[in-house]
Amino acid sequence: MEVRPHDQAVGRELEQSELAGLRRALAARSTLHMAEGALAVLGPLPIEDAGEVLADVALRLGVDALVVAHHVLDVVQGVGVPRSVADALRHVLAGRRV
């Protein structure tokens, strides 16, 4: 079976698309892990609970946990976050502090 140039180009496009998707997933996972670490310190709370805190705040705000993770990292960097995010973080953390 002969592979045509068009088929090769389509294969490269799919490969590039898959790589881009994997890069996005890896970046998202990295952001979530960094935010979990920050929450463990800020909470303070066990690192095992930090993912649940992200999920609880996300549910409370009606957004994706990755959005909350970005906000948590903003807090750590001294960047302001929306009041609703700060309030939700405060509320959820208050119930979990050790």
Side-chain angles (χ1 to χ4, degrees), residues 48-69:
E48 298 82 20
D49 294 347
E52 290 179 23
V53 169
L54 285 176
D56 289 350
V57 172
L59 184 62
R60 188 173 188 79
L61 295 172
V63 298
D64 189 81
L66 185 57
V67 172
V68 176

Side-chain angles (χ1 to χ4, degrees), residues 70-83 85-86:
H70 282 288
H71 285 305
V72 168
L73 295 177
D74 284 345
V75 167
V76 171
Q77 295 176 16
V79 176
V81 297
R83 184 180 194 106
V85 173

Side-chain angles (χ1 to χ4, degrees), residues 1-17:
M1 176 179 203
E2 181 182 336
V3 177
R4 297 175 293 182
H6 173 72
D7 294 338
Q8 288 176 333
V10 169
R12 277 192 295 274
E13 282 181 38
L14 287 173
E15 187 176 283
Q16 291 300 318
S17 176

